Amino acid sequence: MNKKELPGKLLLSEDDIQKRIPELAEEIERYYKGKEIVLIGVLRGAFLFMADLIRHLKLPIRVDFMAVTSYGSDTKSSGVVRILKDLDMDIKSKNVLLVEDIIDTGLTLQYLIRNLKTREPESLNICTLLAKENKSRVDIEFTGFHIPRKYVVGYGLDYNEQFRNLRGIYLLDNESTED
Ligand code: IMP
Ligand code: MG
């Protein structure tokens, strides 16, 4: 790709990401010890991570997706979440692993956790590729990378629907979500 088409500085290379994912998969296998898990991908950002992660998991798995949107400005979460696509699967009594692309304030996640808990899964844990250094009070069992509180794109993550196809993760130029 032409350098001019890149959004900004590289934060995590394709190599960094592809080395970390099998490690995460191992952590998940150790935790669940052969139990079946239902992975729920949060669309759209988590679709690439989900696809790569499950190919390293040596556990019986099922896969479902939810699509949510949070109202707010382009780069800030408001915590007001709307479900655009709900699960097709019944998760009652299942071991559920919610797969997220990135956790910033954790507001979207808090909403999802509350919502999914009402469906009475056996267990509910979170796996996120990226977590911003933040004051989020959500317990995250599996984290790929801790990153600074900057807006990032690539590897599924977008800015106004752009850049999802980049293989690495980039800082978006001239962008800051710091308060
Ligand atoms: P939160 O509610 O503040 O944790 O933000 C949750 C959602 O906002 C994430 O699941 C992403 O879809 C989006 N988001 C937050 N930070 C970024 C970012 O740096 N790049 C792209 N999307 C982001
Ligand atoms: Mg998301």
Side-chain angles (χ1 to χ4, degrees), residues 42-46 68 99-103 108 112 157-158 164:
V42 184
L43 295 173
R44 286 179 290 252
V68 297
V99 179
E100 263 281 20
D101 50 355
I102 186 164
I103 303 188
T108 307
L112 280 172
L157 291 124
D158 76 307
R164 291 195 198 272

Side-chain angles (χ1 to χ4, degrees), residues 40-155:
I40 299 178
V42 184
L43 295 173
R44 286 179 290 252
F47 77 110
L48 287 182
F49 176 44
M50 178 83 147
D52 284 341
L53 181 68
I54 65 168
R55 280 181 281 188
H56 289 283
L57 280 176
K58 298 184 283 295
L59 287 173
I61 63 151
R62 295 171 190 235
V63 166
D64 203 347
F65 291 94
M66 272 180 100
V68 297
T69 183
S70 71
Y71 295 105
S73 67
D74 285 346
T75 58
K76 272 184 195 150
S77 176
S78 65
V80 182
V81 177
R82 189 158 59 101
I83 295 181
L84 301 177
K85 183 221 168 286
D86 205 340
L87 296 177
D88 293 321
M89 236 173 248
D90 181 7
I91 58 165
K92 189 171 159 68
S93 305
K94 303 283 184 197
N95 290 297
V96 173
L97 184 62
L98 192 62
V99 179
E100 263 281 20
D101 50 355
I102 186 164
I103 303 188
D104 183 5
T105 60
L107 291 170
T108 307
L109 193 60
Q110 275 174 19
Y111 171 88
L112 280 172
I113 291 170
R114 263 203 316 275
N115 182 296
L116 292 174
K117 276 193 172 158
T118 65
R119 307 179 198 198
E120 302 173 25
E122 172 73 25
S123 65
L124 176 61
N125 282 299
I126 317 299
C127 175
T128 187
L129 178 67
L130 307 171
K132 291 192 192 174
E133 291 157 358
N134 212 333
K135 42 198 181 290
S136 158
R137 269 153 291 158
V138 185
D139 275 340
I140 303 163
E141 198 66 47
F142 310 102
T143 302
F145 300 93
H146 294 274
I147 64 164
R149 288 194 69 198
K150 296 273 165 55
Y151 201 84
V152 295
V153 295
Y155 193 67

